[in-house]
């Protein structure tokens, strides 16, 4: 295992926005923290079954350096240089007042990430990711889509974020200064994540973020694409781990299954503008040793159109944009229909 970031001498220590938002986003995708410190939530109705080969005393849920390393094992591989595969698949649902919710398109994507030691107790995650909108019946990756709300065929713009990077450490990040308006020195708040032991051999963890930030697509320039001056997004991630894997510190990365849900304004390529309603992503997600769960059609499309996304970045790079910033820089405003 490669050398981890320096830790202070603590007795018994194992070795597109704020930090937890970035942590949540990266596995769901930079497609998009928790406000304040979260207490560790460890709930179990009975004592978990112990494996004789694993030292469960390594599960230091109330230790912020252990939480940093555990989160790093979720996000990547602490054997620095090795890359880790992540995947998600589900549907995008349209939510419009006065109507039944309807499934609009499928959605499937993947990422590859690697970690590096930035020093001073900080790890950097280097990630590329793609996400493709697919036909609900055939599973084909869409180039065009008939918008039933507009009765109009629109061009589909997929997700391709290169890079989407972030940093993680043993403390929550300090709040921004807001151009000097916030001059109060914030204290160091230890990073403690909401772990929950379930049954005899599973551990669950959730990350949630609710954001309200200036839209990269302003309505005066993007009248058909923009949802308004501000963009409001929520993302909810659930991770399920084997407890034995989490306790085994010789495992430099953690495999998991779980879910990813996102509430977001209408996607800009849907050309819904500021009409009432929003989109809702409902997806399963996970990190695995192989890519067998990926749809063959999606994998073939990625190999043809985005081959470099099968390899994570090797160096920190800027800017690290979300899909909205990429859209604003790569697309042009759509004309109104005649």
């Amino acid at each position: 295992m490669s050398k981890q970031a320096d830790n202070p001498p603590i007795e018994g220590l194992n070795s597109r926005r704020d930090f937890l938002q970035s942590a949540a986003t990266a596995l769901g995708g930079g497609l998009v923290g928790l406000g304040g410190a979260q207490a560790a939530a460890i709930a179990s109705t009975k004592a978990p079954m112990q494996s004789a080969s694993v030292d469960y005393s390594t599960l230091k849920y109330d230790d912020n350096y252990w939480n940093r390393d555990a989160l790093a094992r979720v996000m990547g591989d602490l054997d620095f240089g090795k890359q880790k595969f992540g995947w998600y698949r589900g549907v995008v649902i349209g939510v419009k007042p006065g109507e039944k919710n309807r499934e609009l398109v499928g959605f499937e994507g993947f990422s590859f990430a690697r970690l590096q030691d930035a020093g001073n107790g900080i790890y950097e995650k280097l990630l590329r990711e793609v996400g493709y909108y697919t036909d609900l019946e055939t599973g084909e990756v869409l180039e065009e889509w008939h918008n039933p709300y507009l009765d109009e065929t629109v061009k589909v713009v997929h997700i391709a974020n290169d890079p989407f990077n972030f940093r993680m450490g043993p403390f929550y990040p300090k709040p921004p200064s807001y151009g000097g308006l916030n001059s109060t020195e914030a204290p160091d708040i230890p990073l403690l994540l909401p772990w929950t032991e379930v049954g005899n051999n599973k551990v669950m963890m959730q990350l949630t973020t609710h954001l309200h930030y200036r839209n990269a697509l302003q309505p005066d320039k993007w009248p058909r694409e923009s949802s308004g001056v501000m963009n409001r997004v929520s993302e909810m991630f659930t991770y399920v781990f084997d407890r034995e894997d989490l306790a085994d510190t010789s495992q430099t990365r953690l495999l998991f299954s779980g879910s990813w849900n996102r509430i977001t304004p209408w996607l800009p390529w849907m050309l819904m503008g500021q009409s009432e309603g929003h989109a809702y992503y409902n997806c399963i997600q996970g990190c695995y040793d192989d890519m067998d769960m990926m749809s063959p059609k999606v994998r073939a499309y990625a190999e043809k159109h985005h081959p470099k996304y099968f390899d994570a970045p090797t160096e920190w790079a800027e800017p690290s944009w979300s899909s909205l910033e990429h859209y604003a820089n790569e697309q042009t405003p759509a004309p109104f229909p005649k």
Side-chain angles (χ1 to χ4, degrees):
M1 176 176 172
S2 301
K3 179 181 181 295
Q4 296 183 18
D6 294 336
N7 295 332
I10 297 178
E11 182 68 20
L13 185 65
N14 300 313
S15 18
R16 282 166 146 230
R17 316 185 177 101
D18 67 27
F19 165 68
L20 276 184
Q21 167 215 322
S22 300
T25 299
L27 273 186
L31 317 175
V32 273
L34 299 179
Q38 285 249 6
I42 308 304
S44 181
T45 56
K46 57 182 178 179
M49 186 185 309
Q50 303 290 313
S51 170
S53 62
V54 177
D55 179 9
Y56 289 96
S57 68
T58 63
L59 295 174
K60 298 180 182 294
Y61 297 116
D62 58 353
D63 185 306
N64 60 316
Y65 284 85
W66 180 90
N67 274 270
R68 176 203 61 186
D69 287 355
L71 182 61
R73 293 162 67 201
V74 176
M75 298 293 167
D77 194 321
L78 276 175
D79 190 348
F80 299 124
K82 288 186 176 180
Q83 63 178 15
K84 187 179 183 185
F85 165 69
W87 166 87
Y88 41 87
R89 183 172 66 211
V91 296
V92 180
I93 299 168
V95 180
K96 197 169 178 61
E99 297 185 11
K100 181 175 69 173
N101 296 344
R102 64 170 85 183
E103 295 184 357
L104 302 177
V105 293
F107 186 65
E108 183 170 0
F110 66 91
S111 65
F112 278 93
R114 68 181 90 238
L115 302 178
Q116 63 183 19
D117 187 349
N120 298 319
I122 302 298
Y123 301 135
E124 292 179 337
K125 179 178 180 177
L126 314 175
L127 175 140
R128 287 191 182 106
E129 64 178 350
V130 288
Y132 300 113
Y133 299 99
T134 61
D135 185 273
L136 290 171
E137 295 184 1
T138 67
E140 296 285 349
V141 177
L142 293 166
E143 301 293 348
E144 293 183 331
W145 174 69
H146 187 79
N147 186 335
Y149 299 119
L150 303 178
D151 192 21
E152 180 180 348
T153 297
V154 299
K155 171 190 170 184
V156 175
V157 179
H158 302 292
I159 304 299
N161 293 331
D162 176 27
F164 198 86
N165 303 331
F166 72 97
R167 296 182 174 95
M168 65 191 88
F171 298 95
Y172 287 89
K174 299 297 179 69
S177 66
Y178 299 105
L181 295 176
N182 181 14
S183 59
T184 303
E185 180 64 25
D188 286 334
I189 301 176
L191 174 68
L192 299 176
L193 299 173
W195 307 94
T196 301
E197 292 186 348
V198 181
N200 290 328
N201 59 1
K202 296 293 182 183
V203 177
M204 301 181 71
M205 193 261 285
Q206 290 183 302
L207 293 176
T208 302
T209 177
H210 305 293
L211 305 173
H212 191 233
Y213 56 94
R214 186 170 176 80
N215 198 339
L217 303 171
Q218 288 295 296
D220 57 346
K221 180 179 178 181
W222 304 85
R224 303 200 70 196
E225 291 86 356
S226 178
S227 60
V229 173
M230 303 297 290
N231 201 47
R232 183 175 60 193
V233 176
S234 292
E235 299 207 44
M236 293 72 69
F237 297 83
T238 300
Y239 309 94
V240 182
F241 311 95
D242 286 338
R243 183 169 176 264
E244 183 173 327
D245 292 344
L246 186 61
D248 184 357
T249 56
S250 70
Q251 294 197 31
T252 56
R253 88 284 185 267
L254 289 169
L255 305 182
F256 63 83
S257 296
S259 64
W260 168 58
N261 297 278
R262 185 183 191 216
I263 302 170
T264 184
W266 299 114
L267 307 180
W269 54 265
M270 292 181 174
L271 306 184
M272 296 290 286
Q274 298 184 54
S275 62
E276 288 188 284
H278 61 269
Y280 172 71
Y281 290 72
N282 182 27
C283 298
I284 54 176
Q285 64 148 345
C287 282
Y288 311 102
D289 279 330
D290 55 50
M291 303 174 67
D292 291 348
M293 79 297 302
M294 187 180 296
S295 304
K297 293 177 180 179
V298 166
R299 182 166 183 172
Y301 188 94
E303 289 171 344
K304 179 179 179 180
H305 296 278
H306 296 105
K308 77 172 182 177
Y309 286 78
F310 290 85
D311 190 37
T314 57
E315 296 181 353
W316 185 272
E318 297 288 354
S320 185
W321 283 337
S322 73
S323 57
L324 278 184
E325 285 81 34
H326 282 293
Y327 195 104
N329 282 278
E330 297 168 1
Q331 306 298 320
T332 56
F336 284 94
K338 296 180 180 179

